[in-house]
Amino acid sequence: MALTASVTDRRDPRARPGAGVVVTGALVALLCLGFAVVNVAFEITDRFADGPYAGYVSGIAVMNWLVVGLKVLGAAVALLSIARRSRLLSPERLGVLLWGAFALLTLYVLGSVVEAVGIGLGLMGSTDQLTVRSVAYVLFFLSLAAGYGILTVSYQRRQGLRRGVAVLGVVGAPVLLGALLVAVPAVLTALGLMPGL
């Protein structure tokens, strides 16, 4: 009887996340917002106005603000996942966003680790690229991926979402982001905001 009750509680849409999940959600949101500040700082300081990227400055500005928007969205998704109930999104849509964020970050971390191993083995690049800063960068993304993993699994269990939600997020998010990263530069080039290749 106790086992049945605990399973029911885990699938109760009104069930509140545990304290650890709430703290994780708040930390993930802060990391996303802090990371967005980096892109805002790039724009405020005109970081790319001079040097080798000067010809791309307008296009880079558009991409920077797009990235800021995605990072703010990531923070909002993290906070909504620990809220009592979201009035903005259905549980299924929020579940898709959570799974998508988790999948994207995990793919990025795996790609970075494969690249680091390739550099370390001398298969690509130079070992000079493996700095404390680059390792810290990968660890930052690893912590974000782990945080979204915790939030995603907790939300999936609490809401009792179908597996299709996970599949849609895991497959759809990388495809959508990939399409954005191809389409937006192409549009910017057509508008003359970025030089053609």
Side-chain angles (χ1 to χ4, degrees), residues 37-197:
V37 168
V38 172
N39 294 88
V40 173
F42 286 164
E43 290 308 308
I44 291 172
T45 60
D46 289 330
R47 177 175 177 135
F48 301 105
D50 299 317
Y53 301 107
Y56 295 85
V57 72
S58 296
I60 289 173
V62 172
M63 295 301 288
N64 254 332
W65 289 114
L66 175 64
V67 169
V68 168
L70 289 172
K71 290 173 182 178
V72 170
L73 175 63
V77 166
L79 292 176
L80 287 171
S81 76
I82 58 173
R84 182 177 280 273
R85 187 167 190 137
S86 170
R87 293 180 181 171
L88 300 173
L89 295 170
S90 68
E92 290 77 17
R93 288 181 179 159
L94 185 53
V96 168
L97 290 173
L98 283 164
W99 278 107
F102 175 59
L104 285 171
L105 289 165
T106 301
L107 282 173
Y108 187 76
V109 169
L110 288 174
S112 297
V113 169
V114 167
E115 183 181 13
V117 169
I119 290 170
L121 293 174
L123 301 175
M124 62 176 80
S126 164
T127 53
D128 295 341
Q129 294 173 279
L130 296 178
T131 63
V132 172
R133 185 176 176 181
S134 64
V135 171
Y137 184 78
V138 173
L139 290 176
F140 173 80
F141 276 96
L142 180 60
S143 66
L144 271 178
Y148 271 108
I150 291 166
L151 295 175
T152 302
V153 170
S154 171
Y155 191 79
Q156 179 87 9
R157 287 182 179 169
R158 290 193 329 269
Q159 298 296 328
L161 300 177
R162 292 172 290 120
R163 287 185 184 171
V165 170
V167 171
L168 186 57
V170 168
V171 174
V175 169
L176 180 61
L177 185 63
L180 270 174
L181 293 177
V182 169
V184 173
V187 169
L188 293 174
T189 300
L191 293 173
L193 296 174
M194 286 183 75
L197 297 177

